[in-house]
């Protein structure tokens, strides 16, 4: 849900009408990187943003906030990228059926931070797009995407945004009537998906609550119209299958002024890697003049006399796609307590420990293993108002002990430690909300002595970030917002030390141990109308990034590229817009669109200024309908989205054709009795059966799923 539509006149509705609207919105979005249609924007009277510790509402925050609610997640996507794609300014970096990361305003990890109820997700998803983000949308209460000053609570350089995934695995309140829960069953046609999830919270005595939840899913390779690889008869994308299971148990003490609890979660996944190829294992680096660092791959023309040498025909036998087997164990501690001591209203603590491992399997044996033991702890203190200022200050410590072994060990074993101090203050003067944020980080990265090709140069640096925002309600229901930020990001271990073949993305990666801090100066201006039958939101942003770190392509042999993490000044400009009109009590019409333009300030050696994998512009419309039916609420939505051709491409990229998506949904909410309810839903995705690819994906030649239908039932008790 976008903050632009957060109030949109719906406070005038009665409870029954609001419930109908909520249920109709739960399954439609401008899905561009996945055929699993997410919900469209829920329209709620008041949305409190949990990622904001001052309990601000979406309309108080200067920059747009996207919120995807539980019912939408329960009936929609299987990965985080799919769950958010279609929200304003958000696309997906999809990698088959098992992995998908969000792309926000042209940015993804590490400039997009993923959190589990405020605590960092310590997996390996930031290393590569084929590594799954270990959060479970099907079990989440809601997902928030926060931009602007509030992101400094969670990291410097998070210019894309902070994604906070909220769940109930550590209960923060006692369940009604001692027990509450839900069961969700669903299936999808395009990949023969079968999924089941269940959660229950039990009250133990007067002050303890036990929560148990689990999910299990299984999908085959998904189908695409007109797609049949050589040697295959079925129109399925080889290696796009995914199976997984996730279980969690948590126990909380809950008092009148707060709670404290522990939870253990284990996740296991097995999913294929479409497009993964080891046919370039023989490629080596050559360092010579006048051509500099370049690839030598068998018959590759070392002298680069003609670009055609990169594109000669070759014959590679068909091989079964490699796959990933993932096992993640996580412990969480969460606590909140009101009025802990003088001068402070609340203390909030989050601590997480993750033992993560995944094996990349080829022909039945482990080719590469990735391990990450991660610790993350943060404490926030909300102070009482001082001279009109409300604020929160805190400390955070994060540690990642990362190791890769095997054929694709393109990174050395590294120990990364980060200590941060942060502050966020809010002040209201008449009809203007002011927000100030600051963050100071100290980071060290220590690579262990290993293969000679890896640098052993230690990294030790600091980063300072600050932000300012103002939101002015200049007339009732109209708000003008300005956000300014200076954000610094320190390079990560991959950007500093990478040296080796990474065959999931068909690249040879080179780091640079001498990279400096990335410095971003950002300005955003938003105008929105938040109440009445007609609502709208318009946001324009300009990000000027000095020493932007990006993967520059130095050479290419066929589909294999040599990339090096390098720095250059870059600019990101973009707009996001949405408007809705409530036709009557039953119908609402919406128009939406987004666009981002990203380029280097100066041309590279090939005369190109475009940055890679930037999503194309998008424009669409939606009609939502709600009716009373059979004693319950029936809702439906129909959405059309056009994604434009992307021809602003980086070196060695290809143009991506535009495409059209039509998605629809039907959902019925009914009650079994006063305490138990049910929901039946049907989602219809890519009804035109378009064969299309996503420009933001590394798999830019592999199409996304074809026409498909998702049907399910959700029971709440």
């Amino acid at each position: 849900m976008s903050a632009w539509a957060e109030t949109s006149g719906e406070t005038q509705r009665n409870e029954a009408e609001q419930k109908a609207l909520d249920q109709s919105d739960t399954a439609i979005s401008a899905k561009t990187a996945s055929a699993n249609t997410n919900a469209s924007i829920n329209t709620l009277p008041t949305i409190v943003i949990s990622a904001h510790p001052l309990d601000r509402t979406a309309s108080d925050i200067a920059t747009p906030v996207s919120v995807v609610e539980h019912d939408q997640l329960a009936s929609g996507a299987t990965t985080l990228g799919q769950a958010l794609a279609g929200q304003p300014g958000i696309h997906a970096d999809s990698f088959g059926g098992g992995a998908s990361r969000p792309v926000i305003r042209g940015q993804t990890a590490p400039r997009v931070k993923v959190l589990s109820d405020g605590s960092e997700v310590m997996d390996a998803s930031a290393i590569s797009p084929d590594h799954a983000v270990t959060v479970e949308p099907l079990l989440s209460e809601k997902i928030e995407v926060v931009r602007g000053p509030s992101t400094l609570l969670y990291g410097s350089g998070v210019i894309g945004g902070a994604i906070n995934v909220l769940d109930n695995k550590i209960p923060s309140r006692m369940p009604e009537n001692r027990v509450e829960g839900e069961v969700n069953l669903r299936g999808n046609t395009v990949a023969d998906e079968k999924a089941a999830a269940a959660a229950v919270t039990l009250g133990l005595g007067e002050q303890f609550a036990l929560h148990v939840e689990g999910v299990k899913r299984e999908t085959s390779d998904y189908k695409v119209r007109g797609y049949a690889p050589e040697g295959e008869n079925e129109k399925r994308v080889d290696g796009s299958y995914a199976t997984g299971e996730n279980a969690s148990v948590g126990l909380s003490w809950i008092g009148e002024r707060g709670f404290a609890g522990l939870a253990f979660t284990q996740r296991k996944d097995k999913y294929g890697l479409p497009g993964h190829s080891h046919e370039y294992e023989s490629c080596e680096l050559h360092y010579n003049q006048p051509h500099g660092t370049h690839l030598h791959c068998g018959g590759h023309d070392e002298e680069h006399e003609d670009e055609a040498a990169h594109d000669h025909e070759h014959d590679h036998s068909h091989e079964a796609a490699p796959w990933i087997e993932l096992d993640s164990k996580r412990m969480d501690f969460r606590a909140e307590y009101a009025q802990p001591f003088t001068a402070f209203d609340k203390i909030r603590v989050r601590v997480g420990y993750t033992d993560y491992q995944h094996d990349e399997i080829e022909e039945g044996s482990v080719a590469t293993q990735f391990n990450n033991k991660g610790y993350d702890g943060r404490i926030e203190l909300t102070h009482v108002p001082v001279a009109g200022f409300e604020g929160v200050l805190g400390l955070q410590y994060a540690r990642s002990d990362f190791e890769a072994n095997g054929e694709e060990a393109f990174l050395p074993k590294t120990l990364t430690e980060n200590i941060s101090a942060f502050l966020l203050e809010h002040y209201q003067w008449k009809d203007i909300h002011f927000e100030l944020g600051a963050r100071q980080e100290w980071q060290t990265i220590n690579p262990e002595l290993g293969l000679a090709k890896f640098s052993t140069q230690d990294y030790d640096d600091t980063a300072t970030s600050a932000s300012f925002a103002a939101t002015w309600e200049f007339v009732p229901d109209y708000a003008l917002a300005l956000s300014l930020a200076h954000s610094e990001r320190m390079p990560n271990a991959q950007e500093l030390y990478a040296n080796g073949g990474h065959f999931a993305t068909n690249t040879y990666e080179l780091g640079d141990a001498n990279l400096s801090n990335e410095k971003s100066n950002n300005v955003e201006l938003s105008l929105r109308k938040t109440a009445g039958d007609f609502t709208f939101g318009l946001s324009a942003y300009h990000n000027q990034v000095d020493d932007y770190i990006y993967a520059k392509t130095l050479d290419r042999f066929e589909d294999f590229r040599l990339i090096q993490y390098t720095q250059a000044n870059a600019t990101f400009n973009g707009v996001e817009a949405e408007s809705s009109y409530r036709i009557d009590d039953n119908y609402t019409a919406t128009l939406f669109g987004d666009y981002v333009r990203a380029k280097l300030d100066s041309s590279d050696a090939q005369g190109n200024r475009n940055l890679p994998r930037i999503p194309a512009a998008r424009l669409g419309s939606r009609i939502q309908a709600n009716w009373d039916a059979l004693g319950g609420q029936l809702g439906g939505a129909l959405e059309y989205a056009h994604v434009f051709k992307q021809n602003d491409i980086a070196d060695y990229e290809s143009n991506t054709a535009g495409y059209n998506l039509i998605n629809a949904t039907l959902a019925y909410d009914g009650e079994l009795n006063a305490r138990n309810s049910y929901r039946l839903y049907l989602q219809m995705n890519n009804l035109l059966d378009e064969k299309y690819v996503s420009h933001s994906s590394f798999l830019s030649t592999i199409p996304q799923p074809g026409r498909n239908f998702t049907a399910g039932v959700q029971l709440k008790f």
Side-chain angles (χ1 to χ4, degrees), residues 496-512:
L496 292 168
Y497 304 116
N499 191 344
H502 190 190
F503 302 107
T505 56
N506 281 335
T507 56
Y508 192 106
E509 296 191 19
L510 282 176
D512 183 350

Side-chain angles (χ1 to χ4, degrees), residues 131-458:
H131 298 174
V133 183
T134 54
V135 295
E136 180 51 67
L138 194 53
L139 294 173
S140 301
E141 289 299 305
K142 65 178 178 177
I143 299 177
E144 303 170 342
V145 182
V146 180
R147 308 171 180 90
S150 303
T151 61
L152 293 184
L153 294 170
Y154 304 106
S156 296
V158 190
I159 60 176
I163 299 170
N164 196 29
V165 182
L166 299 169
D167 55 59
N168 194 38
K169 61 186 177 183
I170 298 178
S172 59
R173 61 173 181 82
M174 296 298 292
E176 294 183 11
N177 300 309
R178 301 284 181 177
V179 59
E180 62 185 27
E182 72 172 79
V183 176
N184 190 17
L185 302 172
R186 77 180 190 206
N188 180 274
T189 59
V190 78
D192 307 320
E193 180 198 43
K194 296 177 284 293
V200 62
T201 304
L202 302 172
L204 306 178
E206 297 298 323
Q207 290 187 299
F208 287 90
L210 174 70
H211 182 82
V212 180
E213 65 182 25
V215 62
K216 185 177 179 63
R217 69 163 53 87
E218 179 179 338
T219 68
S220 303
D221 291 336
Y222 63 71
K223 291 177 282 190
V224 178
R225 175 182 60 83
Y227 182 81
E230 184 178 353
E232 300 290 337
N233 295 320
E234 270 200 296
K235 299 174 182 179
R236 294 182 181 265
V237 175
D238 186 32
S240 61
Y241 64 89
T243 63
E245 54 190 41
N246 191 323
S248 179
V249 57
L251 180 66
S252 291
W253 169 86
I254 300 169
E256 292 182 358
R257 294 164 61 186
F259 74 94
L262 283 168
F264 172 76
T265 304
Q266 183 167 14
R267 176 184 179 121
K268 291 188 175 183
D269 287 286
K270 177 182 177 181
Y271 59 90
L273 298 176
H276 190 292
S277 173
H278 278 257
E279 62 193 65
Y280 304 111
E281 285 182 338
S282 64
C283 292
E284 299 175 349
L285 292 188
H286 274 206
Y287 305 88
N288 65 1
Q289 297 296 333
H291 306 294
T293 304
H294 66 278
L295 290 169
H296 174 67
C297 303
H300 186 211
D301 184 358
E302 294 181 17
E303 300 302 322
H304 296 275
E305 292 178 354
D306 193 289
E307 182 64 23
H310 295 282
D311 300 311
H312 66 274
E313 294 183 359
H314 56 287
D315 180 26
H316 301 294
S317 60
H318 175 75
E319 298 178 358
W323 69 90
I324 281 179
E325 293 186 4
L326 182 156
D327 187 357
S328 174
K329 303 178 182 69
R330 181 179 173 97
M331 288 291 300
D332 282 284
F333 171 77
R334 301 172 186 169
E336 294 183 19
Y337 200 71
Q339 290 85 47
F341 32 81
T342 304
F344 290 96
D345 282 332
K346 183 191 291 186
I347 184 171
R348 188 170 184 255
V349 178
R350 297 290 187 268
V351 179
Y353 167 71
T354 301
D355 184 358
Y356 173 94
Q357 175 183 309
H358 86 243
D359 298 331
E360 298 189 359
I361 314 293
E362 298 177 38
E363 299 180 352
S365 61
V366 178
T368 312
Q369 184 179 89
F370 292 86
N371 296 278
N372 189 25
K373 287 183 170 60
Y375 307 81
D376 177 68
R378 59 186 293 118
I379 182 170
E380 299 173 359
L381 288 165
T382 304
H383 66 73
V384 299
V386 177
F389 283 90
E390 303 173 88
V392 60
L393 63 157
L395 295 171
Q396 181 176 1
Y397 171 76
R399 170 187 168 119
S400 173
D401 192 351
F402 182 85
E403 183 176 13
N405 296 293
E407 294 177 1
E408 286 190 48
F410 64 96
L411 291 172
K413 179 177 173 60
T414 56
L415 175 62
T416 301
E417 291 186 281
N418 185 291
I419 299 174
S420 308
F422 53 85
L423 174 70
L424 183 71
E425 294 289 334
H426 174 266
Y427 182 83
Q428 183 171 355
W429 178 72
K430 296 184 179 180
D431 294 325
I432 305 177
H433 292 271
F434 296 97
E435 197 165 84
L436 301 170
R439 186 179 182 94
Q440 181 67 35
E441 291 191 354
W442 298 264
Q443 179 171 285
T444 62
I445 306 178
N446 303 116
E448 288 193 4
L449 182 63
L451 298 177
K453 67 178 182 178
F454 293 126
S455 170
T456 58
Q457 179 178 324
D458 290 342

Side-chain angles (χ1 to χ4, degrees), residues 38-39 46 76 84 139 150 160 186 291 329 350 372 374 464 468 471 489 536 566 655 678 680 715:
N38 288 328
T46 301
L84 294 174
L139 294 173
S150 303
R186 77 180 190 206
H291 306 294
K329 303 178 182 69
R350 297 290 187 268
N372 189 25
T464 303
F468 165 82
T471 304
R489 184 181 75 85
F536 66 85
T566 188
N655 292 338
Y678 65 93
L680 305 174
L715 304 175

Side-chain angles (χ1 to χ4, degrees), residues 96-125:
S100 180
R101 304 180 302 185
V103 178
I104 305 177
R105 297 179 172 181
Q107 310 286 352
T108 186
R111 299 175 190 89
V112 171
K113 183 84 71 175
V114 179
L115 312 163
S116 176
D117 198 5
S119 182
E120 286 198 34
V121 178
M122 291 287 189
D123 51 26
S125 59

